[in-house]
Amino acid sequence: MIGAEVDTEKSGQNYPAVLLGRLGVDHRYQHLHLGRQIIDYVKAWFSSESNKSGCRFLIVDAYNEPGLIQFYEHCGLKLFFSTEEQEKKYRNINDREGEPPVKLETRLMFFDLINYNNE
């Protein structure tokens, strides 16, 4: 409707993204840098002039294991939230009183494709 108020609460918060699904390399081929090569390929493809998807971010829902988080960080991805508590609040996951804290199974990570050529 022309002239209606535009909700600006979400303005600047939603950007097109490509979700890199569960990335796995067969244990026989681990440590050959194949995972890094796959991520670099995806970054290059979605940053190329010929790609018209308009994606701004590469997103990964990484298993919450220190080695995997570190792998993605070495590939240039960053955690959306600096703590699990912040991420649990965002995901509306609450610890129950009298029970051990909930450990997130996955952590949200991202790479800003606008920075691809600046790496």
Side-chain angles (χ1 to χ4, degrees), residues 44-60:
W45 192 69
F46 279 95
S47 298
S48 74
E49 293 276 330
S50 62
N51 182 343
K52 305 301 182 203
S53 68
C55 287
R56 167 76 187 265
F57 293 99
L58 170 62
I59 307 294
V60 175

Side-chain angles (χ1 to χ4, degrees), residues 2 28 37-38 55 61 63 66 72 89:
I2 297 175
R28 295 173 293 177
Q37 290 176 32
I38 292 167
C55 287
D61 195 15
Y63 284 117
Y72 285 115
K89 184 176 180 180

